[in-house]
Amino acid sequence: MKFFVDTAEIADIKELADTGLLDGVTTNPSLIAKSGRDFMEVTKEICGIVDGPVSAEVVALDHATMMKEAEVLRKIADNVCIKVPLTVDGLKTCKALTGEGTMVNVTLCFSANQALLAAKAGATFISPFVGRHDDNGFDGMDLIEDIRLIYDNYGFATEILVASVRHTTHVLQAAKIGADVMTAPPKVIHGLFKHVLTDNGIEGFLKDWEATGQSIL
């Protein structure tokens, strides 16, 4: 499973990139606004930190303007992945862009039928929002299972990018189902490292080592 971080905060991205475990970054207009920085500037900086896909989202709603915005965004860097909404115009744009060899992340997916359409449009990634699905009384992981089944049935190359990840259990469940990618806030990714027994074990080992009076260096 690929690990993407869902943020536009440069310090957080650099910290995770330094681990060597970060495969890409997803952003959206809300995250860019939260960063308080210029959209083009921050996107270019992120693309210089990570080698993998960096999702940059169009804000237009019609196909013609989406294409114009995508043309500007994909000139930022070779690893920019154009993010479009799951609408008729969004999928029309997806089809056109992927036909030209541009990576496309189709976002705001809430049904397996929508994911099927995105795959047929040639999407590089489909982003089902499991957290928001849960918030509205549905099981987000049921959605991931349905998409995985459909994509496997027909050999679609579109990668399932589990989004709106709220906690580490979402990551575990997505991995067990076989999702290709997950994107989560920095806090959730840091939570994957933590376990009380690991902390206790380190504490015990260090205590015993200190008692020997030895030093490795």
Side-chain angles (χ1 to χ4, degrees), residues 67-84:
M67 290 298 293
K68 291 177 183 177
E69 292 181 350
E71 183 62 26
V72 173
L73 294 175
R74 62 183 174 178
K75 288 179 180 177
I76 295 174
D78 291 339
N79 55 331
V80 164
C81 177
I82 305 300
K83 200 172 184 183
V84 301

Side-chain angles (χ1 to χ4, degrees), residues 73 76 83 161 171 183 193 203:
L73 294 175
I76 295 174
K83 200 172 184 183
L161 195 168
V171 179
T183 187
F193 291 90
E203 183 180 353

Side-chain angles (χ1 to χ4, degrees), residues 94-114:
C94 173
K95 185 73 173 177
L97 291 174
T98 54
E100 297 173 359
T102 298
M103 292 186 292
V104 177
N105 178 359
V106 177
T107 190
L108 293 171
C109 173
F110 292 97
S111 79
N113 283 336
Q114 289 179 320

